């Protein structure tokens, strides 16, 4: 099953870094976040990717075109007609299609533009700026069993601030740091779609999270796979720093690969 990654947005909420590079190339530790995302999928055997490019897409092309060299020891011998010797013959078992989907194209329009690379097959889709320890095998099994067109992964994000319980005199009765949200489930990405989803997508102005998903829900064709484990987006510089702190721990919560 192919994996589509939306990687074309401007990343305006993390403009401190995104003015220099596309958001998916912002690094967590020594690797860009898109690498972490792809490693998650690869750990479950999903190794064929279609990356939807937009803002500074040429930088993502450069990264993956040179990825093998980045991962290898090399010897450049200028005395022998600039011979390049690569001392490694394996990087990742990935097949990657880098698709130009437009600078201003919305999420739904980007997905529509890569239909030719999907064909008449179910596929997975995620955003290029969030990590999780979602069990992708169970997600696909859930999707296959319910028989609907679309599945999204529902998550409950942690609160950004400590939660207080007060009495009438403003006395703090309890304090909990970074508790789960208010109990509401939100869209955490990590979708699975049947090819029929393309019928719900229009032109470049189509926002996947608006009419397409709304219409699928109204028709009873959208299911939610509940994930109560780790999930975190990288929307802001604060998020990046938080994920980097986790990456430096012994076992980062989204590191499902060995």
């Amino acid at each position: 099953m192919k994996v589509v990654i939306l990687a074309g947005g401007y990343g305006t909420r993390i403009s401190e870094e995104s003015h220099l590079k596309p958001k998916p190339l912002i690094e967590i530790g020594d690797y860009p976040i898109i690498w972490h995302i792809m490693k998650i999928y690869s750990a479950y055997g999903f190794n064929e990717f279609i990356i939807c490019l937009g803002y500074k897409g040429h930088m993502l092309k450069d990264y993956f075109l040179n990825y093998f060299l980045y991962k290898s020891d090399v010897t450049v011998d200028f005395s022998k007609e600039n011979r390049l010797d690569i001392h490694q013959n394996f990087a990742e078992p990935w097949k990657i299609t880098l698709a130009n989907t437009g600078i201003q194209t919305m999420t739904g329009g980007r997905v529509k533009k890569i239909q030719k690379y999907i064909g008449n097959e179910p596929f997975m889709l995620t955003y290029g700026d969030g990590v999780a320890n979602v069990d992708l095998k169970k997600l696909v099994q859930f999707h296959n069993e319910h028989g609907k067109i679309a599945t999204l992964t529902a998550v409950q994000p942690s609160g950004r601030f400590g939660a207080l319980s007060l009495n009438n005199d403003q006395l703090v009765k309890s304090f909990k740091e970074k508790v789960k949200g208010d109990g509401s489930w939100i869209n955490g990405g990590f979708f699975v779609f049947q090819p029929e989803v393309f019928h719900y997508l229009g032109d470049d102005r189509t926002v996947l999270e608006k009419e397409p998903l709304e219409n699928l829900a109204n028709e009873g064709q959208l299911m939610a796979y509940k994930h109560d484990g780790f999930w975190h987006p990288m929307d802001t510089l604060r998020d990046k720093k938080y994920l980097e702190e986790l990456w430096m721990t012994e076992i980062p919560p989204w590191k499902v690969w060995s």
Side-chain angles (χ1 to χ4, degrees), residues 2-5 38 47-53 61 64 94-101 114 116-118:
K2 298 181 180 73
V3 180
V4 177
I5 302 179
M38 294 167 74
N47 291 305
E48 188 167 352
F49 299 93
I50 301 166
I51 301 177
C52 299
L53 304 177
K61 285 187 177 181
F64 285 110
W94 296 344
K95 178 181 178 182
I96 305 169
T97 298
L98 298 153
N100 296 319
T101 57
I114 55 86
K116 60 186 176 182
Y117 299 118
I118 296 295

Side-chain angles (χ1 to χ4, degrees), residues 224-256:
Y225 174 79
K226 288 185 176 180
H227 171 64
D228 56 7
F230 179 83
W231 173 87
H232 206 285
M234 190 185 65
D235 288 331
T236 65
L237 191 59
R238 176 179 177 173
D239 292 326
K240 168 185 159 61
K241 290 178 178 177
Y242 173 65
L243 291 173
E244 284 193 316
E245 289 172 0
L246 291 177
W247 182 248
M248 297 302 293
T249 62
E250 185 175 349
I251 304 178
W254 70 89
K255 190 176 182 293
V256 294

Side-chain angles (χ1 to χ4, degrees), residues 59-234:
M59 297 183 71
L60 279 154
K61 285 187 177 181
D62 289 343
Y63 177 78
F64 285 110
L65 286 172
N66 290 295
Y67 181 76
F68 188 79
L69 290 178
Y70 294 153
K71 295 284 287 185
S72 305
D73 294 338
V74 299
T75 298
V76 182
D77 191 343
F78 295 121
S79 67
K80 296 182 179 179
E81 298 180 349
N82 296 335
R83 191 176 74 185
L84 176 67
D85 293 323
I86 301 174
H87 306 289
Q88 182 174 317
N89 56 14
F90 176 80
E92 307 287 349
W94 296 344
K95 178 181 178 182
I96 305 169
T97 298
L98 298 153
N100 296 319
T101 57
I103 300 295
Q104 303 294 337
T105 311
M106 298 292 101
T107 50
R110 294 189 190 283
V111 180
K112 183 70 172 179
K113 284 190 171 184
I114 55 86
Q115 182 176 1
K116 60 186 176 182
Y117 299 118
I118 296 295
N120 191 34
E121 301 175 0
F123 64 100
M124 307 177 79
L125 181 143
T126 195
Y127 303 107
D129 62 356
V131 289
N133 60 353
V134 178
D135 188 322
L136 298 173
K137 289 290 189 182
K138 289 184 178 179
L139 169 63
V140 171
Q141 181 181 357
F142 173 80
H143 175 81
N144 291 337
E145 288 176 351
H146 65 59
K148 306 294 186 180
I149 292 175
T151 300
L152 60 76
T153 298
V155 298
Q156 289 182 294
S158 297
R160 289 188 177 271
F161 306 100
L164 304 178
S165 175
L166 306 177
N167 68 8
N168 292 333
D169 297 322
Q170 283 75 55
L171 177 70
V172 177
K173 296 192 296 182
S174 68
F175 178 89
K176 293 183 178 180
E177 177 66 7
K178 294 183 179 178
V179 297
K180 288 285 187 181
D182 60 3
S184 299
W185 293 88
I186 67 168
N187 169 28
F190 294 93
F191 299 90
V192 187
F193 291 122
Q194 293 300 115
E196 288 80 5
V197 75
F198 290 112
H199 299 316
Y200 293 79
L201 304 176
D203 59 19
D204 289 2
R205 296 169 294 179
T206 304
V207 178
L208 175 66
E209 299 79 8
K210 291 187 177 179
E211 286 83 0
L213 291 185
E214 290 171 359
N215 290 336
L216 285 163
N218 291 336
E219 295 174 17
Q221 289 294 331
L222 177 61
M223 297 290 286
Y225 174 79
K226 288 185 176 180
H227 171 64
D228 56 7
F230 179 83
W231 173 87
H232 206 285
M234 190 185 65

Side-chain angles (χ1 to χ4, degrees), residues 17-36:
E17 296 214 21
S18 63
H19 75 287
L20 296 172
K21 64 183 72 172
K23 191 176 180 183
L25 283 184
I26 296 175
E27 293 181 345
I28 303 299
D30 294 328
Y31 298 96
I33 191 168
I34 194 170
W35 176 90
H36 293 265

